[in-house]
Amino acid sequence: MAYTSLKSAPNAFDQHKRLIVVQVAAVLALILLLFGKPALAEGSDGHEIVETIGFAMVLTCFLGRLWSILFVGGRKNDELVMSGPFSITRNPLYFFSTVGAAGIGLMFGSALAAGMLGLASFLVFRFTARKEAEYLAGKFGAAYAAYAERTPSFWPNPMLYRDEAQWLFSTSALWNTFRDGLYFLALFPIIEAVEHLRLSGDLPTLFTVY
């Protein structure tokens, strides 16, 4: 359901700067992957367990983002969506993306990489979410204020979950999110291939990441 404020709303937050930061982080993560090695011996039981946990987190990110887009795809900034994943957190897309970023670090086999990627993602999305909240508060007024009062900004509270009997979703937005999510999942075979090249001596190791 859409709620409209009588006062003039500010312009929607420009995502360009956030995307630049995300792209820089992706390049740094690629350097980490190609020229660093985890402290846990690759192929060891401990490394495999950490890697599996990381993959599970990335898969959670993939499915969680699809779930979120089913509710908000094509309607973001036009309607105040408050059901489904948006009933337990105001920013489910950012939450699941942060889970995925940390999962990438664990797939690499490094708790430090997971912490750095997760923290960087959290800080970027927290800033973005704050700016978006200002926009939504200006556009939807009291309706958004009431929503923000009962719903966490980032960390989900499953006890607040509520759904709708039916809703419309954008097939194009769902497809775009599915396609973007494949990049996350594709990291798993890429990391495995890099590990193989490193173990065979075909890829130099410049540093160790704990």
Side-chain angles (χ1 to χ4, degrees):
M1 181 180 294
Y3 297 87
T4 305
S5 173
L6 295 178
K7 65 180 180 180
S8 177
N11 293 327
F13 177 63
D14 185 2
Q15 302 280 349
H16 183 64
K17 291 182 179 179
R18 175 181 69 82
L19 292 175
I20 291 177
V21 174
V22 171
Q23 289 166 355
V24 170
V27 171
L28 293 176
L30 182 62
I31 294 174
L32 174 74
L33 169 65
L34 291 178
F35 301 108
K37 71 172 184 178
L40 286 172
E42 293 170 324
S44 67
D45 290 342
H47 182 273
E48 293 301 313
I49 291 173
V50 170
E51 192 175 63
T52 300
I53 294 172
F55 179 74
M57 291 174 66
V58 170
L59 184 60
T60 298
C61 164
F62 176 70
L63 296 176
R65 285 179 54 83
L66 287 178
W67 180 38
S68 301
I69 285 297
L70 280 174
F71 282 80
V72 77
R75 297 188 291 164
K76 189 173 183 180
N77 296 325
D78 294 325
E79 295 185 25
L80 186 55
V81 180
M82 300 181 290
S83 57
F86 292 87
S87 65
I88 58 177
T89 170
R90 302 201 305 273
N91 295 285
L93 284 164
Y94 296 162
F95 170 76
F96 287 117
S97 295
T98 300
V99 170
I104 290 172
L106 291 181
M107 281 202 305
F108 177 71
S110 168
L112 179 59
M116 291 175 60
L117 291 173
L119 179 61
S121 178
F122 172 76
L123 292 176
V124 169
F125 289 136
R126 182 177 181 182
F127 172 78
T128 306
R130 186 179 299 139
K131 292 297 183 181
E132 289 181 343
E134 293 174 1
Y135 166 76
L136 294 172
K139 182 170 185 177
F140 299 110
Y144 181 79
Y147 170 57
E149 179 70 22
R150 68 175 182 268
T151 311
S153 174
F154 188 80
W155 300 107
N157 181 355
M159 300 299 294
L160 299 175
Y161 184 80
R162 71 181 188 86
D163 209 339
E164 300 285 350
Q166 60 181 2
W167 68 90
L168 299 176
F169 65 91
S170 167
T171 54
S172 61
L174 183 64
W175 166 247
N176 289 336
T177 302
F178 177 81
R179 182 193 60 200
D180 293 343
L182 291 179
Y183 291 114
F184 278 93
L185 296 179
L187 285 172
F188 187 72
I190 291 174
I191 289 174
E192 291 295 310
V194 169
E195 286 181 4
H196 175 74
L197 291 174
R198 189 159 41 237
L199 290 172
S200 65
D202 295 323
L203 191 67
T205 300
L206 303 183
F207 50 85
T208 299
V209 182
Y210 291 88

